[in-house]
Amino acid sequence: VTKAQLSSLATEYEDKGLTSREQVLEFLEKIVERPVKSSKELTEDEAAKVLADLAKASEPATGGEPA
């Protein structure tokens, strides 16, 4: 994982309300499908996958008319 990815991950965690270490690790383990003890042990590809998943959660729903 790169320093830039770690910085982006930290920002995204906060934006998504993942405020505790336990919440973050549980989220990471669901995405990368393996035990994770720290964001620092993610590979660059895993970090990219996590960031993509976090970005998807930020996208507005499409296909419907505004209320």
Side-chain angles (χ1 to χ4, degrees), residues 9-24 27 54 57-58:
L9 286 167
T11 300
E12 289 293 332
Y13 298 154
E14 189 174 320
D15 289 349
K16 301 299 178 284
L18 299 171
T19 57
S20 75
R21 177 176 171 79
E22 292 78 21
Q23 288 175 317
V24 169
F27 175 78
L54 288 165
S58 299

Side-chain angles (χ1 to χ4, degrees), residues 16-46:
K16 301 299 178 284
L18 299 171
T19 57
S20 75
R21 177 176 171 79
E22 292 78 21
Q23 288 175 317
V24 169
L25 295 179
E26 183 178 318
F27 175 78
L28 291 176
E29 289 178 1
K30 286 181 186 177
I31 303 301
V32 301
E33 300 176 339
R34 69 173 179 88
V36 179
K37 294 182 181 176
S38 169
S39 296
K40 292 179 182 178
E41 72 181 37
L42 296 174
T43 66
E44 286 184 41
D45 287 342
E46 287 172 335

